[in-house]
Amino acid sequence: MGVLTDYFRVVDAASVVQALEQTDGRSLLCAEPPVFDGVEARHVDTAVVLAQLIAAIQQVEWEVDLVQERDVWPTSPILDPDEPVAEDDPWVTGP
C-alpha cells in the first residue's frame, strides 16, 4: 500500500483549484471523464525519476530543475502544528 500521487501539467494553478472544488477534492485523473491528462504513480520522486523520464521523452539532458512542482491545494495556509485544527480542514482531510 502507499499513497498514489497524481501528476499532470496545467496552464495555471487556478484551473486545478477550480477542478478540485468541482470534484470535491477527488482525483482529477480518475474522474469520468478525466479532468486532465496525466498519470497516477506511487513512489515517484519528481525531481529525479519523473524528470529523467521527461528528459528522455524530450531527448534533453536531465537537470535538477527540469521539473518544477508546487502544491496548489488546499488553498488555505499550511497548518501550524502547534495550533488546534478543525476536523474538516482540507489539510487534514486531503485530497
Side-chain angles (χ1 to χ4, degrees), residues 3-27:
V3 174
L4 282 173
T5 303
D6 292 346
Y7 295 94
F8 49 86
R9 187 169 74 172
V10 295
V11 175
D12 58 18
S15 60
V16 177
V17 171
Q18 180 182 12
L20 284 168
E21 288 172 347
Q22 291 173 346
T23 61
D24 197 28
R26 291 187 304 275
S27 171

Side-chain angles (χ1 to χ4, degrees), residues 28-74:
L28 301 177
L29 302 178
C30 295
E32 287 296 328
V35 179
F36 300 116
D37 288 333
V39 297
E40 262 189 341
R42 182 178 290 132
H43 306 300
V44 175
D45 174 66
T46 305
V48 178
V49 177
L50 184 61
Q52 287 176 341
L53 176 62
I54 291 172
I57 291 168
Q58 294 179 344
Q59 298 181 351
V60 299
E61 288 291 319
W62 170 78
E63 297 177 11
V64 172
D65 61 350
L66 181 65
V67 174
Q68 297 176 11
E69 68 176 322
R70 68 180 190 160
D71 295 329
V72 296
W73 182 271

